[in-house]
Amino acid sequence: MVRISSLIFVLPFFLLPASAGWASSSVRFLTAGDLFLKLTSQHLEEQLAGQHYLMGVLDGLTLAKDPRLCVRTAIQLNEVVTLVRAQLTSRPDIHRFNAASVIRETLATEFPCT
């Protein structure tokens, strides 16, 4: 019985390096181009994933009290999606950048704090 409990205690330590390796190879930031493909997809699941990502970034910026961003509290999701999608449509040159950064810049331009 002691051996089994020792094994159960030690086994996770051997698995940690392997799990860290798997995680590091699969984690990458969403690019603005990836977000654009999601927001313009014909598949509802992809559109929703893009919308949820966008709102997550907006929530994070709001909670962090980003000093450049003053979005009104009653803003609708479709307004934010329309703004970001329009920016991504008109500026394919920014598709290589981090999606969260592009969202922040788009919203700071549209909803500046004055």
Side-chain angles (χ1 to χ4, degrees):
M1 188 75 171
V2 174
R3 283 190 166 181
I4 293 175
S5 64
S6 297
L7 183 62
I8 291 173
F9 178 74
V10 173
L11 187 59
F13 292 107
F14 288 108
L15 294 177
L16 282 176
S19 63
W22 292 324
S24 66
S25 66
S26 66
V27 173
R28 71 177 185 90
F29 289 103
L30 189 71
T31 66
D34 295 335
L35 178 61
F36 179 71
L37 291 175
K38 288 183 183 307
L39 293 176
T40 58
S41 174
Q42 297 298 317
H43 303 286
L44 180 60
E45 296 85 13
E46 288 290 315
Q47 290 176 22
L48 291 174
Q51 292 172 7
H52 289 147
Y53 179 86
L54 204 154
M55 288 309 292
V57 171
L58 179 58
D59 285 346
L61 293 169
T62 303
L63 289 171
K65 298 183 189 318
D66 188 309
R68 293 186 51 212
L69 186 65
C70 291
V71 177
R72 63 186 183 278
T73 56
I75 194 161
Q76 298 292 313
L77 173 61
N78 60 350
E79 291 178 72
V80 177
V81 169
T82 300
L83 289 170
V84 172
R85 190 174 43 221
Q87 176 75 332
L88 292 172
T89 300
S90 67
R91 300 271 322 270
D93 59 305
I94 63 174
H95 285 202
R96 62 189 168 96
F97 296 117
N98 180 294
S101 298
V102 171
I103 292 167
R104 178 183 183 263
E105 293 305 311
T106 301
L107 296 178
T109 301
E110 294 294 325
F111 304 105
C113 294
T114 54

